[in-house]
Amino acid sequence: MTDSQLPGFSTRAIHAGQEADPATGAVVTPIYQVSTYKQDGVGTLRTGLGTGYEYSRSGNPTRTSLESQLASLEQGDAGFAFASGLAAEDAILRALLKPGDHVVVPDDAYGGTYRLVKRVVEPWGVEHTPVDLASVDAVREAIRPGKTRLVWVETPTNPLLTIADIAALAEVTHAAGALLVVDNTFATPYLQTPLTLGADLVVSSTTKYAGGHSDVVGGAVVVRDGDDGRGSSLTERIGFHQNAMGGVPGPFDSWLVQRGLKTLAVRMERHCDNAERVVEFLQSHPRITKILYPGLPEHRNHDVAARQMKRFGGMISFRTASVDDALAVCKATQLFTLGESLGGVESLVEHPGKMTHAAVAGSLLEVPDDLIRLSVGIEDADDLVADLAQALG
């Protein structure tokens, strides 16, 4: 089905994989809080309603509904839900890599991703190279012919909001016989669909904008099915590892993410509106030394972001005069809650160097110690600006 034939995003968010319950007519997918299922016979799974279910690690109707919804929104062939974003990333890495392989990763990746690659995957025998993914040439030079299996992309990155050209990187990656993975957590499928730009897999933390209410932890992988480079189907590889490793969400967590996705479009519009208002305020404040936001014309690869994103998102980072200045601002906000995570309806402020990215301190991925990251929520924009004004003094 072409883009022009697809129903709109919100229509798919509300209806994809969510047909009315055949037994009761319920318009909301039930929470199938069950671990096992009655089978029709020895070695014969139940037919009819609930076909193919035997054990909820392998499959659960609530999770299946969420996975269909995720695949539709990302415009992929198959979706897989996980217990966290890192569980989703781990499944990709273990499904597609083996000792001796090589991965290209962002030089400003999310700290949890880099910790997974550096401290879990590297000891297994997989090498990695951090690279500036905003430079297509740098990625091309970092790829090792015959060894590089994955190019791992975040765009925008966390927390420096670096923009990578997905289509250009897909071309370079595929020319080398590798696969392109895009972490779409910050943009969400509402603002950006990497699979339509050439990516092979999309991964995200559904804890963030997808869930949207800071009440669930989850992750997702959506694939554009094809060969994994070693003669197997991407869908089959990810599906096998999801079941074999068992890092799946429970039915209630699946239901919460599905509920959040139904309002993703309207929430993202408000997140973007509010972020733009906050950026406008920060631009005029003398204590701010630099603002990192893809919507600014001076932001590196702004033209790429304008081309591949619908809008520029609800995440903002900015730098102050010193680490002490940054810590003072984080302490002084009132509406912006000091806390990790992002993408919820409430606004959050954090100091990446001492919080979310402490794990990369002293490495190539260390972030500036004067950096503040904002997750701009959906409160009234005037109140958010007033809070930052008083915090900055």
Side-chain angles (χ1 to χ4, degrees):
M1 185 177 289
T2 65
D3 288 353
S4 62
Q5 295 173 314
L6 280 175
F9 184 92
S10 290
T11 301
R12 285 179 284 134
I14 293 168
H15 293 284
Q18 300 166 77
E19 294 77 14
D21 178 47
T24 66
V27 297
V28 174
T29 302
I31 301 171
Y32 288 91
Q33 195 68 46
V34 58
S35 61
T36 193
Y37 305 81
K38 181 180 179 180
Q39 299 186 24
D40 287 351
V42 176
T44 305
L45 301 185
R46 190 168 180 80
T47 57
L49 178 64
T51 298
Y53 294 105
E54 56 180 327
Y55 185 60
S56 277
R57 169 175 45 77
S58 302
N60 175 281
T62 311
R63 193 176 91 219
T64 298
S65 182
L66 168 62
E67 291 173 335
S68 297
Q69 181 190 33
L70 289 164
S72 178
L73 295 182
E74 289 284 5
Q75 298 187 45
D77 295 313
F80 302 90
F82 290 86
S84 70
L86 281 170
E89 294 187 358
D90 185 49
I92 292 174
L93 294 169
R94 289 208 249 180
L96 302 179
L97 298 176
K98 66 180 183 181
D101 288 339
H102 173 254
V103 183
V104 175
V105 299
D107 64 1
D108 58 345
Y110 164 55
T113 300
Y114 187 69
R115 179 180 58 215
L116 177 63
V117 170
K118 178 68 177 177
R119 301 183 64 179
V120 177
V121 179
E122 184 180 74
W124 180 40
V126 174
E127 298 179 344
H128 68 276
T129 301
V131 67
D132 175 12
L133 291 185
S135 169
V136 177
D137 288 338
V139 174
R140 185 181 291 108
E141 292 174 7
I143 290 175
R144 302 177 188 174
K147 288 198 68 176
T148 301
R149 285 278 292 149
L150 297 178
V151 173
W152 194 282
V153 174
E154 286 180 30
T155 181
T157 60
N158 179 9
L160 300 181
L161 299 169
T162 301
I163 298 297
D165 188 329
I166 297 171
L169 291 181
E171 184 177 346
V172 169
T173 300
H174 295 153
L179 297 170
L180 186 70
V181 181
V182 177
D183 184 336
N184 205 30
T185 299
F186 271 27
T188 79
Y190 179 69
L191 299 181
Q192 176 175 275
T193 49
L195 297 178
T196 67
L197 297 171
D200 300 289
L201 304 96
V202 170
V203 63
S204 61
S205 169
T206 56
T207 309
K208 313 305 193 296
Y209 287 107
H213 294 78
S214 301
D215 55 10
V216 64
V217 173
V221 176
V222 179
V223 304
R224 182 168 58 90
D225 198 21
D227 193 284
D228 71 345
R230 290 186 168 133
S232 297
S233 156
L234 278 175
T235 297
E236 291 176 358
R237 293 295 293 164
I238 300 299
F240 174 83
H241 279 72
Q242 181 196 44
N243 180 50
M245 294 158 59
V248 296
F252 184 52
D253 286 352
S254 298
W255 186 89
L256 285 171
V257 173
Q258 185 167 70
R259 183 187 65 169
L261 284 168
K262 292 179 183 181
T263 61
L264 180 61
V266 291
R267 286 187 288 107
M268 289 308 297
E269 288 291 345
R270 182 61 172 264
H271 284 298
C272 293
D273 288 344
N274 283 358
E276 289 170 6
R277 282 286 309 279
V278 169
V279 167
E280 182 181 9
F281 162 74
L282 293 174
Q283 284 180 297
S284 63
H285 203 284
R287 287 180 67 184
I288 308 302
T289 62
K290 186 173 185 178
I291 303 169
L292 303 173
Y293 186 66
L296 292 173
E298 63 269 24
H299 191 86
R300 187 183 180 197
N301 277 2
H302 164 75
D303 59 326
V304 175
R307 183 172 68 247
Q308 70 187 19
M309 298 177 71
K310 184 175 182 179
R311 294 185 68 180
F312 301 107
M315 300 300 299
I316 304 167
S317 291
F318 63 90
R319 299 183 67 173
T320 56
S322 67
V323 60
D324 290 339
D325 213 26
L327 294 174
V329 173
C330 290
K331 184 178 180 180
T333 58
Q334 296 173 1
L335 276 182
F336 280 86
T337 300
L338 180 65
E340 299 189 3
S341 198
L342 58 103
V345 293
E346 62 287 305
S347 294
L348 300 175
V349 60
E350 68 124 354
H351 185 274
K354 294 185 179 297
M355 296 172 68
T356 53
H357 288 67
V360 297
S363 75
L364 292 174
L365 280 75
E366 184 173 23
V367 298
D369 63 7
D370 58 8
L371 186 76
I372 294 172
R373 190 191 74 181
L374 302 178
S375 174
V376 181
I378 64 172
E379 302 95 336
D380 290 293
D382 289 343
D383 295 327
L384 296 177
V385 169
D387 186 37
L388 290 172
Q390 67 81 24
L392 285 162

PDB file of all heavy atoms in Angstrom, residues 282-304:
ATOM      1  N   LEU A 282      14.441  31.197  25.091  1.00  0.00           N
ATOM      2  CA  LEU A 282      15.849  30.954  25.399  1.00  0.00           C
ATOM      3  C   LEU A 282      16.775  31.759  24.495  1.00  0.00           C
ATOM      4  O   LEU A 282      17.872  32.160  24.915  1.00  0.00           O
ATOM      5  CB  LEU A 282      16.164  29.453  25.251  1.00  0.00           C
ATOM      6  CG  LEU A 282      15.497  28.505  26.251  1.00  0.00           C
ATOM      7  CD1 LEU A 282      15.794  27.054  25.889  1.00  0.00           C
ATOM      8  CD2 LEU A 282      15.939  28.804  27.683  1.00  0.00           C
ATOM      9  N   GLN A 283      16.354  31.998  23.269  1.00  0.00           N
ATOM     10  CA  GLN A 283      17.199  32.737  22.330  1.00  0.00           C
ATOM     11  C   GLN A 283      17.509  34.153  22.818  1.00  0.00           C
ATOM     12  O   GLN A 283      18.541  34.715  22.463  1.00  0.00           O
ATOM     13  CB  GLN A 283      16.522  32.812  20.959  1.00  0.00           C
ATOM     14  CG  GLN A 283      16.587  31.530  20.158  1.00  0.00           C
ATOM     15  CD  GLN A 283      15.900  31.665  18.819  1.00  0.00           C
ATOM     16  OE1 GLN A 283      14.687  31.904  18.735  1.00  0.00           O
ATOM     17  NE2 GLN A 283      16.656  31.517  17.747  1.00  0.00           N
ATOM     18  N   SER A 284      16.629  34.695  23.631  1.00  0.00           N
ATOM     19  CA  SER A 284      16.820  36.069  24.077  1.00  0.00           C
ATOM     20  C   SER A 284      17.437  36.175  25.468  1.00  0.00           C
ATOM     21  O   SER A 284      17.600  37.280  25.992  1.00  0.00           O
ATOM     22  CB  SER A 284      15.471  36.799  24.078  1.00  0.00           C
ATOM     23  OG  SER A 284      14.580  36.196  25.018  1.00  0.00           O
ATOM     24  N   HIS A 285      17.804  35.018  26.069  1.00  0.00           N
ATOM     25  CA  HIS A 285      18.287  35.070  27.451  1.00  0.00           C
ATOM     26  C   HIS A 285      19.810  35.113  27.502  1.00  0.00           C
ATOM     27  O   HIS A 285      20.491  34.283  26.891  1.00  0.00           O
ATOM     28  CB  HIS A 285      17.778  33.872  28.255  1.00  0.00           C
ATOM     29  CG  HIS A 285      17.759  34.140  29.724  1.00  0.00           C
ATOM     30  ND1 HIS A 285      18.903  34.146  30.498  1.00  0.00           N
ATOM     31  CD2 HIS A 285      16.741  34.453  30.565  1.00  0.00           C
ATOM     32  CE1 HIS A 285      18.580  34.440  31.745  1.00  0.00           C
ATOM     33  NE2 HIS A 285      17.265  34.621  31.811  1.00  0.00           N
ATOM     34  N   PRO A 286      20.370  36.068  28.267  1.00  0.00           N
ATOM     35  CA  PRO A 286      21.832  36.248  28.270  1.00  0.00           C
ATOM     36  C   PRO A 286      22.609  35.117  28.943  1.00  0.00           C
ATOM     37  O   PRO A 286      23.812  34.980  28.699  1.00  0.00           O
ATOM     38  CB  PRO A 286      22.011  37.566  29.035  1.00  0.00           C
ATOM     39  CG  PRO A 286      20.775  37.706  29.875  1.00  0.00           C
ATOM     40  CD  PRO A 286      19.676  37.115  29.061  1.00  0.00           C
ATOM     41  N   ARG A 287      21.967  34.296  29.779  1.00  0.00           N
ATOM     42  CA  ARG A 287      22.697  33.223  30.460  1.00  0.00           C
ATOM     43  C   ARG A 287      22.848  31.969  29.601  1.00  0.00           C
ATOM     44  O   ARG A 287      23.558  31.036  29.970  1.00  0.00           O
ATOM     45  CB  ARG A 287      22.001  32.842  31.769  1.00  0.00           C
ATOM     46  CG  ARG A 287      22.164  33.887  32.869  1.00  0.00           C
ATOM     47  CD  ARG A 287      21.460  33.468  34.145  1.00  0.00           C
ATOM     48  NE  ARG A 287      22.082  32.301  34.779  1.00  0.00           N
ATOM     49  CZ  ARG A 287      21.573  31.717  35.875  1.00  0.00           C
ATOM     50  NH1 ARG A 287      20.445  32.180  36.415  1.00  0.00           N
ATOM     51  NH2 ARG A 287      22.184  30.671  36.414  1.00  0.00           N
ATOM     52  N   ILE A 288      22.217  31.946  28.448  1.00  0.00           N
ATOM     53  CA  ILE A 288      22.289  30.790  27.554  1.00  0.00           C
ATOM     54  C   ILE A 288      23.401  31.026  26.538  1.00  0.00           C
ATOM     55  O   ILE A 288      23.400  32.023  25.815  1.00  0.00           O
ATOM     56  CB  ILE A 288      20.955  30.571  26.816  1.00  0.00           C
ATOM     57  CG1 ILE A 288      19.784  30.529  27.809  1.00  0.00           C
ATOM     58  CG2 ILE A 288      21.022  29.308  25.985  1.00  0.00           C
ATOM     59  CD1 ILE A 288      19.905  29.470  28.858  1.00  0.00           C
ATOM     60  N   THR A 289      24.350  30.091  26.478  1.00  0.00           N
ATOM     61  CA  THR A 289      25.464  30.248  25.537  1.00  0.00           C
ATOM     62  C   THR A 289      25.222  29.535  24.212  1.00  0.00           C
ATOM     63  O   THR A 289      25.802  29.910  23.196  1.00  0.00           O
ATOM     64  CB  THR A 289      26.781  29.738  26.157  1.00  0.00           C
ATOM     65  OG1 THR A 289      26.639  28.335  26.448  1.00  0.00           O
ATOM     66  CG2 THR A 289      27.098  30.487  27.439  1.00  0.00           C
ATOM     67  N   LYS A 290      24.381  28.495  24.205  1.00  0.00           N
ATOM     68  CA  LYS A 290      24.085  27.789  22.959  1.00  0.00           C
ATOM     69  C   LYS A 290      22.795  27.002  23.122  1.00  0.00           C
ATOM     70  O   LYS A 290      22.556  26.404  24.176  1.00  0.00           O
ATOM     71  CB  LYS A 290      25.222  26.835  22.576  1.00  0.00           C
ATOM     72  CG  LYS A 290      25.027  26.175  21.209  1.00  0.00           C
ATOM     73  CD  LYS A 290      26.262  25.371  20.797  1.00  0.00           C
ATOM     74  CE  LYS A 290      26.087  24.818  19.385  1.00  0.00           C
ATOM     75  NZ  LYS A 290      27.286  24.063  18.939  1.00  0.00           N
ATOM     76  N   ILE A 291      21.979  27.006  22.079  1.00  0.00           N
ATOM     77  CA  ILE A 291      20.729  26.237  22.067  1.00  0.00           C
ATOM     78  C   ILE A 291      20.845  25.158  21.005  1.00  0.00           C
ATOM     79  O   ILE A 291      21.247  25.418  19.865  1.00  0.00           O
ATOM     80  CB  ILE A 291      19.519  27.133  21.759  1.00  0.00           C
ATOM     81  CG1 ILE A 291      19.419  28.273  22.776  1.00  0.00           C
ATOM     82  CG2 ILE A 291      18.227  26.309  21.757  1.00  0.00           C
ATOM     83  CD1 ILE A 291      18.410  29.336  22.385  1.00  0.00           C
ATOM     84  N   LEU A 292      20.498  23.931  21.382  1.00  0.00           N
ATOM     85  CA  LEU A 292      20.505  22.807  20.451  1.00  0.00           C
ATOM     86  C   LEU A 292      19.058  22.400  20.186  1.00  0.00           C
ATOM     87  O   LEU A 292      18.387  21.840  21.057  1.00  0.00           O
ATOM     88  CB  LEU A 292      21.299  21.634  21.043  1.00  0.00           C
ATOM     89  CG  LEU A 292      22.752  21.946  21.418  1.00  0.00           C
ATOM     90  CD1 LEU A 292      23.383  20.769  22.138  1.00  0.00           C
ATOM     91  CD2 LEU A 292      23.555  22.310  20.187  1.00  0.00           C
ATOM     92  N   TYR A 293      18.578  22.717  18.983  1.00  0.00           N
ATOM     93  CA  TYR A 293      17.209  22.394  18.595  1.00  0.00           C
ATOM     94  C   TYR A 293      17.144  22.301  17.079  1.00  0.00           C
ATOM     95  O   TYR A 293      17.545  23.241  16.380  1.00  0.00           O
ATOM     96  CB  TYR A 293      16.224  23.456  19.104  1.00  0.00           C
ATOM     97  CG  TYR A 293      14.774  23.097  18.849  1.00  0.00           C
ATOM     98  CD1 TYR A 293      14.194  22.002  19.484  1.00  0.00           C
ATOM     99  CD2 TYR A 293      13.998  23.834  17.964  1.00  0.00           C
ATOM    100  CE1 TYR A 293      12.868  21.651  19.248  1.00  0.00           C
ATOM    101  CE2 TYR A 293      12.663  23.492  17.723  1.00  0.00           C
ATOM    102  CZ  TYR A 293      12.113  22.397  18.365  1.00  0.00           C
ATOM    103  OH  TYR A 293      10.800  22.050  18.130  1.00  0.00           O
ATOM    104  N   PRO A 294      16.692  21.180  16.536  1.00  0.00           N
ATOM    105  CA  PRO A 294      16.730  20.995  15.081  1.00  0.00           C
ATOM    106  C   PRO A 294      15.939  22.024  14.294  1.00  0.00           C
ATOM    107  O   PRO A 294      16.180  22.208  13.097  1.00  0.00           O
ATOM    108  CB  PRO A 294      16.130  19.594  14.890  1.00  0.00           C
ATOM    109  CG  PRO A 294      16.331  18.908  16.200  1.00  0.00           C
ATOM    110  CD  PRO A 294      16.226  19.980  17.242  1.00  0.00           C
ATOM    111  N   GLY A 295      14.989  22.702  14.950  1.00  0.00           N
ATOM    112  CA  GLY A 295      14.184  23.691  14.251  1.00  0.00           C
ATOM    113  C   GLY A 295      14.879  25.006  14.001  1.00  0.00           C
ATOM    114  O   GLY A 295      14.372  25.847  13.241  1.00  0.00           O
ATOM    115  N   LEU A 296      16.033  25.212  14.612  1.00  0.00           N
ATOM    116  CA  LEU A 296      16.774  26.453  14.398  1.00  0.00           C
ATOM    117  C   LEU A 296      17.550  26.382  13.083  1.00  0.00           C
ATOM    118  O   LEU A 296      18.238  25.389  12.824  1.00  0.00           O
ATOM    119  CB  LEU A 296      17.736  26.705  15.551  1.00  0.00           C
ATOM    120  CG  LEU A 296      17.088  27.024  16.907  1.00  0.00           C
ATOM    121  CD1 LEU A 296      18.146  27.083  18.005  1.00  0.00           C
ATOM    122  CD2 LEU A 296      16.327  28.350  16.824  1.00  0.00           C
ATOM    123  N   PRO A 297      17.480  27.412  12.255  1.00  0.00           N
ATOM    124  CA  PRO A 297      18.202  27.393  10.966  1.00  0.00           C
ATOM    125  C   PRO A 297      19.697  27.146  11.118  1.00  0.00           C
ATOM    126  O   PRO A 297      20.321  26.556  10.236  1.00  0.00           O
ATOM    127  CB  PRO A 297      17.915  28.782  10.379  1.00  0.00           C
ATOM    128  CG  PRO A 297      16.624  29.193  11.014  1.00  0.00           C
ATOM    129  CD  PRO A 297      16.659  28.625  12.403  1.00  0.00           C
ATOM    130  N   GLU A 298      20.285  27.587  12.248  1.00  0.00           N
ATOM    131  CA  GLU A 298      21.717  27.418  12.449  1.00  0.00           C
ATOM    132  C   GLU A 298      22.083  26.034  12.985  1.00  0.00           C
ATOM    133  O   GLU A 298      23.271  25.696  13.099  1.00  0.00           O
ATOM    134  CB  GLU A 298      22.256  28.487  13.397  1.00  0.00           C
ATOM    135  CG  GLU A 298      21.702  28.458  14.810  1.00  0.00           C
ATOM    136  CD  GLU A 298      20.468  29.323  15.002  1.00  0.00           C
ATOM    137  OE1 GLU A 298      19.763  29.593  13.985  1.00  0.00           O
ATOM    138  OE2 GLU A 298      20.203  29.731  16.147  1.00  0.00           O
ATOM    139  N   HIS A 299      21.093  25.234  13.342  1.00  0.00           N
ATOM    140  CA  HIS A 299      21.374  23.891  13.842  1.00  0.00           C
ATOM    141  C   HIS A 299      21.969  23.048  12.720  1.00  0.00           C
ATOM    142  O   HIS A 299      21.487  23.062  11.583  1.00  0.00           O
ATOM    143  CB  HIS A 299      20.092  23.234  14.362  1.00  0.00           C
ATOM    144  CG  HIS A 299      20.314  21.971  15.135  1.00  0.00           C
ATOM    145  ND1 HIS A 299      20.592  21.973  16.471  1.00  0.00           N
ATOM    146  CD2 HIS A 299      20.287  20.667  14.747  1.00  0.00           C
ATOM    147  CE1 HIS A 299      20.725  20.716  16.898  1.00  0.00           C
ATOM    148  NE2 HIS A 299      20.555  19.907  15.854  1.00  0.00           N
ATOM    149  N   ARG A 300      23.020  22.299  13.036  1.00  0.00           N
ATOM    150  CA  ARG A 300      23.677  21.496  12.012  1.00  0.00           C
ATOM    151  C   ARG A 300      22.691  20.506  11.393  1.00  0.00           C
ATOM    152  O   ARG A 300      21.966  19.807  12.102  1.00  0.00           O
ATOM    153  CB  ARG A 300      24.857  20.752  12.637  1.00  0.00           C
ATOM    154  CG  ARG A 300      25.723  20.015  11.613  1.00  0.00           C
ATOM    155  CD  ARG A 300      26.822  19.258  12.307  1.00  0.00           C
ATOM    156  NE  ARG A 300      27.677  18.543  11.372  1.00  0.00           N
ATOM    157  CZ  ARG A 300      28.503  17.571  11.709  1.00  0.00           C
ATOM    158  NH1 ARG A 300      28.590  17.202  12.992  1.00  0.00           N
ATOM    159  NH2 ARG A 300      29.246  16.967  10.806  1.00  0.00           N
ATOM    160  N   ASN A 301      22.667  20.428  10.092  1.00  0.00           N
ATOM    161  CA  ASN A 301      21.765  19.564   9.327  1.00  0.00           C
ATOM    162  C   ASN A 301      20.296  19.929   9.523  1.00  0.00           C
ATOM    163  O   ASN A 301      19.418  19.074   9.395  1.00  0.00           O
ATOM    164  CB  ASN A 301      21.993  18.090   9.673  1.00  0.00           C
ATOM    165  CG  ASN A 301      23.149  17.481   8.902  1.00  0.00           C
ATOM    166  OD1 ASN A 301      23.823  18.166   8.121  1.00  0.00           O
ATOM    167  ND2 ASN A 301      23.425  16.200   9.111  1.00  0.00           N
ATOM    168  N   HIS A 302      20.048  21.211   9.802  1.00  0.00           N
ATOM    169  CA  HIS A 302      18.659  21.672   9.908  1.00  0.00           C
ATOM    170  C   HIS A 302      17.885  21.351   8.635  1.00  0.00           C
ATOM    171  O   HIS A 302      16.708  20.953   8.685  1.00  0.00           O
ATOM    172  CB  HIS A 302      18.620  23.177  10.173  1.00  0.00           C
ATOM    173  CG  HIS A 302      17.285  23.806   9.917  1.00  0.00           C
ATOM    174  ND1 HIS A 302      16.217  23.660  10.767  1.00  0.00           N
ATOM    175  CD2 HIS A 302      16.836  24.568   8.878  1.00  0.00           C
ATOM    176  CE1 HIS A 302      15.153  24.313  10.281  1.00  0.00           C
ATOM    177  NE2 HIS A 302      15.516  24.864   9.140  1.00  0.00           N
ATOM    178  N   ASP A 303      18.545  21.502   7.478  1.00  0.00           N
ATOM    179  CA  ASP A 303      17.872  21.238   6.210  1.00  0.00           C
ATOM    180  C   ASP A 303      17.465  19.768   6.094  1.00  0.00           C
ATOM    181  O   ASP A 303      16.408  19.445   5.539  1.00  0.00           O
ATOM    182  CB  ASP A 303      18.760  21.652   5.038  1.00  0.00           C
ATOM    183  CG  ASP A 303      20.099  20.917   5.019  1.00  0.00           C
ATOM    184  OD1 ASP A 303      20.627  20.622   6.117  1.00  0.00           O
ATOM    185  OD2 ASP A 303      20.614  20.643   3.921  1.00  0.00           O
ATOM    186  N   VAL A 304      18.284  18.868   6.636  1.00  0.00           N
ATOM    187  CA  VAL A 304      17.947  17.448   6.628  1.00  0.00           C
ATOM    188  C   VAL A 304      16.738  17.189   7.520  1.00  0.00           C
ATOM    189  O   VAL A 304      15.804  16.475   7.143  1.00  0.00           O
ATOM    190  CB  VAL A 304      19.147  16.593   7.094  1.00  0.00           C
ATOM    191  CG1 VAL A 304      18.752  15.119   7.204  1.00  0.00           C
ATOM    192  CG2 VAL A 304      20.323  16.764   6.139  1.00  0.00           C
TER     193      VAL A 304
END
